Amino acid sequence: MSNPADKHDPFDPFGIVASMGEWCCLLKAARELKDVDGEMMETMLDASATGPVPEGPEAVAKVHSIVNLMRSLSLDAEAVRQRDPETMQTLEAACLRCTQRGRCARELWAGTAADAYPEFCPNAARLDRLRHA
């Protein structure tokens, strides 16, 4: 059985046209990903506009995670920021250094973060203090 790649185009003996077609597809996909990434960054910046903007998209996503985790615990991040900005900065800084971002995102998405956060969150003790304050 012959493979389409085994057939040679007499007008393109080196496969340059086929390679260019594949390259164009990759460029198109890269542009689409860039557009999606840009839209996501704007969304995250809008959501975290209430405080100091960290550097880089990963930092913004992590700070957004602490806000979502606090929301799942019925804590108002904006109220904490206004009442005690140092505490909020400490929470954000710990979140920025966290190595469990994937798990945090999965737990938030699944709606189980409020129960599971003590197992992985570096802010667990601080959040518990806020919950019982």
mmCIF file of all heavy atoms in Angstrom, residues 71-94:
data_model
loop_
_atom_site.group_PDB
_atom_site.id
_atom_site.type_symbol
_atom_site.label_atom_id
_atom_site.label_comp_id
_atom_site.label_asym_id
_atom_site.label_seq_id
_atom_site.Cartn_x
_atom_site.Cartn_y
_atom_site.Cartn_z
ATOM 1 N N ARG A 71 -13.030 33.027 47.675
ATOM 2 C CA ARG A 71 -14.464 33.047 47.354
ATOM 3 C C ARG A 71 -15.100 31.709 47.709
ATOM 4 O O ARG A 71 -16.204 31.660 48.244
ATOM 5 C CB ARG A 71 -14.650 33.364 45.874
ATOM 6 C CG ARG A 71 -16.087 33.608 45.490
ATOM 7 C CD ARG A 71 -16.239 34.011 44.025
ATOM 8 N NE ARG A 71 -15.517 35.249 43.742
ATOM 9 C CZ ARG A 71 -14.623 35.399 42.762
ATOM 10 N NH1 ARG A 71 -14.353 34.409 41.949
ATOM 11 N NH2 ARG A 71 -14.021 36.539 42.582
ATOM 12 N N SER A 72 -14.395 30.610 47.421
ATOM 13 C CA SER A 72 -14.960 29.283 47.728
ATOM 14 C C SER A 72 -15.081 29.062 49.232
ATOM 15 O O SER A 72 -15.855 28.220 49.670
ATOM 16 C CB SER A 72 -14.117 28.178 47.082
ATOM 17 O OG SER A 72 -12.922 27.971 47.794
ATOM 18 N N LEU A 73 -14.309 29.831 50.003
ATOM 19 C CA LEU A 73 -14.368 29.735 51.467
ATOM 20 C C LEU A 73 -15.285 30.808 52.069
ATOM 21 O O LEU A 73 -15.283 31.021 53.276
ATOM 22 C CB LEU A 73 -12.958 29.884 52.052
ATOM 23 C CG LEU A 73 -11.962 28.802 51.665
ATOM 24 C CD1 LEU A 73 -10.560 29.180 52.095
ATOM 25 C CD2 LEU A 73 -12.377 27.464 52.256
ATOM 26 N N SER A 74 -16.044 31.493 51.214
ATOM 27 C CA SER A 74 -16.941 32.580 51.621
ATOM 28 C C SER A 74 -16.174 33.732 52.267
ATOM 29 O O SER A 74 -16.668 34.376 53.196
ATOM 30 C CB SER A 74 -18.031 32.064 52.565
ATOM 31 O OG SER A 74 -18.803 31.086 51.916
ATOM 32 N N LEU A 75 -14.961 33.971 51.773
ATOM 33 C CA LEU A 75 -14.161 35.112 52.216
ATOM 34 C C LEU A 75 -14.148 36.145 51.097
ATOM 35 O O LEU A 75 -13.998 35.798 49.931
ATOM 36 C CB LEU A 75 -12.725 34.685 52.532
ATOM 37 C CG LEU A 75 -12.529 33.791 53.749
ATOM 38 C CD1 LEU A 75 -11.095 33.262 53.788
ATOM 39 C CD2 LEU A 75 -12.854 34.546 55.022
ATOM 40 N N ASP A 76 -14.274 37.396 51.449
ATOM 41 C CA ASP A 76 -14.280 38.483 50.477
ATOM 42 C C ASP A 76 -12.870 39.055 50.369
ATOM 43 O O ASP A 76 -12.407 39.774 51.259
ATOM 44 C CB ASP A 76 -15.272 39.557 50.916
ATOM 45 C CG ASP A 76 -15.421 40.688 49.926
ATOM 46 O OD1 ASP A 76 -14.628 40.772 48.957
ATOM 47 O OD2 ASP A 76 -16.334 41.508 50.119
ATOM 48 N N ALA A 77 -12.188 38.725 49.274
ATOM 49 C CA ALA A 77 -10.805 39.163 49.082
ATOM 50 C C ALA A 77 -10.700 40.686 49.081
ATOM 51 O O ALA A 77 -9.755 41.250 49.634
ATOM 52 C CB ALA A 77 -10.244 38.591 47.786
ATOM 53 N N GLU A 78 -11.653 41.360 48.470
ATOM 54 C CA GLU A 78 -11.603 42.822 48.418
ATOM 55 C C GLU A 78 -11.774 43.424 49.811
ATOM 56 O O GLU A 78 -11.096 44.390 50.164
ATOM 57 C CB GLU A 78 -12.674 43.365 47.470
ATOM 58 C CG GLU A 78 -12.622 44.854 47.284
ATOM 59 C CD GLU A 78 -11.266 45.370 46.808
ATOM 60 O OE1 GLU A 78 -10.565 44.670 46.074
ATOM 61 O OE2 GLU A 78 -10.903 46.504 47.192
ATOM 62 N N ALA A 79 -12.636 42.844 50.626
ATOM 63 C CA ALA A 79 -12.816 43.333 51.994
ATOM 64 C C ALA A 79 -11.540 43.125 52.798
ATOM 65 O O ALA A 79 -11.131 43.998 53.566
ATOM 66 C CB ALA A 79 -14.001 42.625 52.656
ATOM 67 N N VAL A 80 -10.904 41.965 52.622
ATOM 68 C CA VAL A 80 -9.637 41.702 53.316
ATOM 69 C C VAL A 80 -8.589 42.697 52.842
ATOM 70 O O VAL A 80 -7.834 43.256 53.646
ATOM 71 C CB VAL A 80 -9.165 40.248 53.090
ATOM 72 C CG1 VAL A 80 -7.761 40.036 53.642
ATOM 73 C CG2 VAL A 80 -10.150 39.263 53.714
ATOM 74 N N ARG A 81 -8.542 42.956 51.543
ATOM 75 C CA ARG A 81 -7.561 43.898 50.991
ATOM 76 C C ARG A 81 -7.753 45.300 51.580
ATOM 77 O O ARG A 81 -6.794 45.986 51.896
ATOM 78 C CB ARG A 81 -7.688 43.959 49.478
ATOM 79 C CG ARG A 81 -6.588 44.752 48.791
ATOM 80 C CD ARG A 81 -6.735 44.823 47.292
ATOM 81 N NE ARG A 81 -6.949 43.566 46.621
ATOM 82 C CZ ARG A 81 -6.012 42.652 46.371
ATOM 83 N NH1 ARG A 81 -4.779 42.868 46.760
ATOM 84 N NH2 ARG A 81 -6.311 41.545 45.746
ATOM 85 N N GLN A 82 -9.006 45.719 51.733
ATOM 86 C CA GLN A 82 -9.277 47.052 52.280
ATOM 87 C C GLN A 82 -9.012 47.115 53.775
ATOM 88 O O GLN A 82 -8.470 48.089 54.273
ATOM 89 C CB GLN A 82 -10.710 47.458 51.973
ATOM 90 C CG GLN A 82 -10.933 47.762 50.517
ATOM 91 C CD GLN A 82 -12.381 48.092 50.210
ATOM 92 O OE1 GLN A 82 -13.232 48.129 51.095
ATOM 93 N NE2 GLN A 82 -12.667 48.325 48.937
ATOM 94 N N ARG A 83 -9.401 46.075 54.486
ATOM 95 C CA ARG A 83 -9.264 46.042 55.939
ATOM 96 C C ARG A 83 -7.826 45.801 56.374
ATOM 97 O O ARG A 83 -7.341 46.413 57.330
ATOM 98 C CB ARG A 83 -10.189 44.957 56.507
ATOM 99 C CG ARG A 83 -10.196 44.862 58.023
ATOM 100 C CD ARG A 83 -11.136 43.773 58.520
ATOM 101 N NE ARG A 83 -10.680 42.446 58.139
ATOM 102 C CZ ARG A 83 -11.333 41.598 57.344
ATOM 103 N NH1 ARG A 83 -12.486 41.940 56.816
ATOM 104 N NH2 ARG A 83 -10.841 40.416 57.063
ATOM 105 N N ASP A 84 -7.136 44.906 55.654
ATOM 106 C CA ASP A 84 -5.790 44.503 56.058
ATOM 107 C C ASP A 84 -4.941 44.208 54.817
ATOM 108 O O ASP A 84 -4.731 43.050 54.458
ATOM 109 C CB ASP A 84 -5.886 43.265 56.955
ATOM 110 C CG ASP A 84 -4.578 42.911 57.631
ATOM 111 O OD1 ASP A 84 -3.575 43.610 57.385
ATOM 112 O OD2 ASP A 84 -4.561 41.936 58.394
ATOM 113 N N PRO A 85 -4.464 45.261 54.138
ATOM 114 C CA PRO A 85 -3.729 45.058 52.892
ATOM 115 C C PRO A 85 -2.472 44.202 53.057
ATOM 116 O O PRO A 85 -2.100 43.467 52.141
ATOM 117 C CB PRO A 85 -3.384 46.469 52.431
ATOM 118 C CG PRO A 85 -3.708 47.382 53.548
ATOM 119 C CD PRO A 85 -4.598 46.656 54.486
ATOM 120 N N GLU A 86 -1.834 44.261 54.224
ATOM 121 C CA GLU A 86 -0.626 43.448 54.439
ATOM 122 C C GLU A 86 -0.952 41.959 54.421
ATOM 123 O O GLU A 86 -0.202 41.162 53.866
ATOM 124 C CB GLU A 86 0.048 43.833 55.752
ATOM 125 C CG GLU A 86 0.710 45.191 55.698
ATOM 126 C CD GLU A 86 1.335 45.575 57.022
ATOM 127 O OE1 GLU A 86 1.442 44.708 57.926
ATOM 128 O OE2 GLU A 86 1.706 46.749 57.169
ATOM 129 N N THR A 87 -2.070 41.585 55.006
ATOM 130 C CA THR A 87 -2.483 40.180 54.991
ATOM 131 C C THR A 87 -2.742 39.721 53.570
ATOM 132 O O THR A 87 -2.311 38.638 53.163
ATOM 133 C CB THR A 87 -3.727 39.958 55.864
ATOM 134 O OG1 THR A 87 -3.391 40.254 57.223
ATOM 135 C CG2 THR A 87 -4.233 38.534 55.770
ATOM 136 N N MET A 88 -3.421 40.551 52.789
ATOM 137 C CA MET A 88 -3.714 40.179 51.406
ATOM 138 C C MET A 88 -2.423 40.057 50.602
ATOM 139 O O MET A 88 -2.277 39.124 49.801
ATOM 140 C CB MET A 88 -4.656 41.203 50.775
ATOM 141 C CG MET A 88 -5.301 40.709 49.519
ATOM 142 S SD MET A 88 -6.357 39.280 49.838
ATOM 143 C CE MET A 88 -6.524 38.643 48.189
ATOM 144 N N GLN A 89 -1.484 40.946 50.820
ATOM 145 C CA GLN A 89 -0.196 40.855 50.129
ATOM 146 C C GLN A 89 0.553 39.589 50.527
ATOM 147 O O GLN A 89 1.194 38.950 49.691
ATOM 148 C CB GLN A 89 0.653 42.090 50.410
ATOM 149 C CG GLN A 89 0.125 43.327 49.723
ATOM 150 C CD GLN A 89 0.872 44.587 50.126
ATOM 151 O OE1 GLN A 89 1.692 44.584 51.043
ATOM 152 N NE2 GLN A 89 0.577 45.684 49.443
ATOM 153 N N THR A 90 0.470 39.207 51.790
ATOM 154 C CA THR A 90 1.114 37.976 52.255
ATOM 155 C C THR A 90 0.477 36.763 51.592
ATOM 156 O O THR A 90 1.177 35.844 51.155
ATOM 157 C CB THR A 90 1.017 37.861 53.789
ATOM 158 O OG1 THR A 90 1.631 39.013 54.378
ATOM 159 C CG2 THR A 90 1.694 36.601 54.297
ATOM 160 N N LEU A 91 -0.861 36.760 51.508
ATOM 161 C CA LEU A 91 -1.572 35.667 50.837
ATOM 162 C C LEU A 91 -1.143 35.570 49.370
ATOM 163 O O LEU A 91 -0.857 34.483 48.865
ATOM 164 C CB LEU A 91 -3.084 35.876 50.916
ATOM 165 C CG LEU A 91 -3.736 35.697 52.284
ATOM 166 C CD1 LEU A 91 -5.151 36.263 52.283
ATOM 167 C CD2 LEU A 91 -3.744 34.241 52.692
ATOM 168 N N GLU A 92 -1.107 36.714 48.691
ATOM 169 C CA GLU A 92 -0.720 36.730 47.279
ATOM 170 C C GLU A 92 0.725 36.284 47.091
ATOM 171 O O GLU A 92 1.032 35.529 46.161
ATOM 172 C CB GLU A 92 -0.940 38.129 46.693
ATOM 173 C CG GLU A 92 -2.399 38.486 46.569
ATOM 174 C CD GLU A 92 -2.634 39.942 46.205
ATOM 175 O OE1 GLU A 92 -1.703 40.773 46.347
ATOM 176 O OE2 GLU A 92 -3.759 40.256 45.778
ATOM 177 N N ALA A 93 1.613 36.723 47.983
ATOM 178 C CA ALA A 93 3.024 36.346 47.863
ATOM 179 C C ALA A 93 3.196 34.838 48.047
ATOM 180 O O ALA A 93 3.951 34.194 47.299
ATOM 181 C CB ALA A 93 3.863 37.111 48.888
ATOM 182 N N ALA A 94 2.500 34.264 49.012
ATOM 183 C CA ALA A 94 2.582 32.812 49.215
ATOM 184 C C ALA A 94 2.013 32.069 48.014
ATOM 185 O O ALA A 94 2.544 31.035 47.593
ATOM 186 C CB ALA A 94 1.849 32.413 50.494
#
